[in-house]
Amino acid sequence: MRLYKIIAAVLISLCLSACVSSLLIGNQLQSKLMWTFLKPLVGFDPNEVNFFEAPIIKDRMTAILGDKYEPTMKLLRTAQEIQQEGALFYVASRYAPAQVQAVTDKAGLVWNSQTNQMAVMLIKDGKPEIFSEQIAGAAEAITPVFPTELKNAYEKAQSVQQALSNPAAAMGEALDNKLDSTLNKVKEEQKSKVDNTLNDAIKQSLPNADQQELEEALKREAQPAH
């Protein structure tokens, strides 16, 4: 069954390679063909099935990345599984540098089955970049959608990059967050103290009130009846 899926995917890839140049974002027919190619490969190691060498993948990637193709592929070849998250089919690198970095180099290739858009996320030397297919002559660029794993990696790298480019603003934000946290803590402590004080006052007043009522009752009993 596994071998059959691989053979079927290869045959579909060969059929699709003939129409790579005419691939358009939003083309439903070609989107279905691409889905038919990718769906059976979910869970497979992309290197074992020559995923990156399939013309339908490689040709589109080289068109998107240009001179970024090789450094991106160096990372992507460490991917261990073709994955799916909703309408998104993707592969993500598993490369971990020998030296600990603030942001790990990472690459991800994503194909959106709803739009037929292919996109690549690349984090190299801490710098996050996004490359994606677009419709030529369109008034607005189409924003690619990324799965959770790649989205989180990109946002983390972006935050670190912003902090490095504007350390004063990053420090100011950190101080503001620290101040807010401290103020909230002080408010909670004050509220707790007030609550404890009120509880103690109530506890102390209740016995006194009972004693006073008892004394008044005894006095009334001691008075002679008229």
Side-chain angles (χ1 to χ4, degrees), residues 15-190:
C15 293
L16 284 171
S17 64
C19 58
V20 169
S21 60
S22 63
L23 283 170
L24 295 173
I25 296 174
N27 187 307
Q28 293 301 314
L29 175 59
Q30 291 168 338
S31 181
K32 289 179 180 178
L33 290 172
M34 187 72 168
W35 186 91
T36 304
F37 165 65
L38 282 172
K39 185 62 178 179
L41 297 180
V42 173
F44 282 79
D45 185 325
N47 298 293
E48 289 184 359
V49 296
N50 289 324
F51 172 77
F52 299 114
E53 299 305 317
I56 190 61
I57 301 298
K58 186 173 183 178
D59 291 352
R60 294 177 74 170
M61 284 188 67
T62 53
I64 296 171
L65 292 167
D67 59 1
K68 297 283 187 175
Y69 177 77
E70 285 303 328
T72 301
M73 284 307 305
K74 184 177 180 180
L75 292 169
L76 280 179
R77 287 192 181 96
T78 66
Q80 299 173 350
E81 183 181 5
I82 298 171
Q83 303 179 71
Q84 181 181 2
E85 184 177 297
L88 306 176
F89 292 81
Y90 71 101
V91 290
S93 66
R94 291 290 177 266
Y95 173 73
Q99 296 179 346
V100 177
Q101 300 178 7
V103 179
T104 302
D105 288 347
K106 192 175 185 67
L109 169 66
V110 182
W111 177 71
N112 189 331
S113 62
Q114 292 181 338
T115 62
N116 194 31
Q117 183 187 40
M118 187 174 284
V120 174
M121 183 211 72
L122 175 64
I123 301 173
K124 183 67 176 173
D125 299 327
K127 181 182 178 182
E129 295 180 279
I130 289 177
F131 307 88
S132 62
E133 292 175 325
Q134 297 293 330
I135 298 176
E140 296 182 2
I142 300 174
T143 302
V145 180
F146 287 94
T148 304
E149 177 184 349
L150 298 179
K151 182 180 178 182
N152 290 342
Y154 181 82
E155 290 177 349
K156 178 183 177 182
Q158 200 172 36
S159 297
V160 173
Q161 191 74 11
Q162 289 173 351
L164 292 174
S165 61
N166 194 349
M171 183 176 293
E173 183 178 354
L175 289 174
D176 288 342
N177 292 336
K178 180 66 175 177
L179 180 59
D180 290 341
S181 176
T182 302
L183 289 174
N184 289 333
K185 184 177 180 180
V186 170
K187 288 179 181 178
E188 289 295 328
E189 290 177 350
Q190 292 297 325

